[in-house]
Amino acid sequence: MDFSSLLIFAGVYFLAVASPGPSIAALVARSLATGFRRSLPFAAGIVAGDLIWLSLTALGLAVLMQSFHGLFVAIKYAGCAYLLYLAFRLWRAPAGALEQAPAARGEGWRLFLGGITLTMGNPKVIVFFLSILPLVVDLSALTPLAFAEIAALITAIIGSTLIAYAYAADRARRLVASPRALRRINRLTGGVMAGAAAAIAMRG
């Protein structure tokens, strides 16, 4: 791809990922509740989900997979169920308990897979890769080098955007010291995650 085409793609993709949606809401809620570092596996899963969608689209399999409607419905509701599980934990957690306690064994992988599941079933992501991406990128002329360039751009753009959101949420949490306020943050972020799950379930 020529430089101007890459710039166009980068601009369109940045606007798509930077606009708040269920994935951003869930990530911010996670960072607010447990801190920046413990939100990174979830962010990595979201990045991996976008790269999977890019691969499916580049291979011409994304449109074919639309015929497996039941599979995507199952993936979508699995992602919603995971968000509701996290929301329940946050709502019930004592103030600061999740941040002070060591990460549970395997938590990072569960968060990573949760991020992938959420992304694979997110209607906003599906619409971008099935409808918007083909308008910006000539998929019929996509070479391995062009694919690698786009994959690198996706990783850099969404990765830096998610890290910025998570870091800002972590900084905001550290400004609060009162246990009562921390408990309210836990419950607020739990509500945000539940709302994100509802938004995904009702769309698409």
Side-chain angles (χ1 to χ4, degrees), residues 48-162:
D50 270 29
L51 291 175
I52 291 172
W53 268 116
L54 171 65
S55 301
L56 292 173
T57 305
L59 293 172
L61 299 178
V63 175
L64 176 62
M65 291 186 71
Q66 282 185 296
S67 60
F68 296 94
H69 179 69
L71 174 62
F72 280 102
V73 170
I75 290 174
K76 179 173 76 171
Y77 286 116
C80 292
Y82 183 71
L83 286 180
L84 290 174
Y85 164 73
L86 292 178
F88 176 76
R89 285 191 62 199
L90 289 172
W91 187 269
R92 294 289 302 274
L98 290 179
E99 183 175 8
Q100 295 167 4
R105 186 175 182 179
E107 178 187 77
W109 283 109
R110 287 196 297 271
L111 287 170
F112 179 73
L113 293 175
I116 290 178
T117 303
L118 176 63
T119 304
M120 293 302 294
N122 187 344
K124 176 184 173 183
V125 178
I126 295 173
V127 168
F128 176 83
F129 283 100
L130 293 185
S131 302
I132 299 176
L133 179 64
L135 298 177
V136 181
V137 177
D138 183 3
L139 296 174
S140 63
L142 194 64
T143 65
L145 177 58
F147 175 85
E149 291 171 342
I150 293 175
L153 273 177
I154 283 178
T155 302
I157 292 171
I158 192 172
S160 59
T161 301
L162 294 176

Side-chain angles (χ1 to χ4, degrees), residues 161-172:
T161 301
L162 294 176
I163 286 173
Y165 271 110
Y167 184 78
D170 180 66
R171 292 296 95 186

Side-chain angles (χ1 to χ4, degrees), residues 9 22 37 47 49 87 100 103 117 132 139 148 182 185:
F9 170 80
R37 289 188 178 182
V47 175
Q100 295 167 4
T117 303
I132 299 176
L139 296 174
L182 289 174
I185 288 176

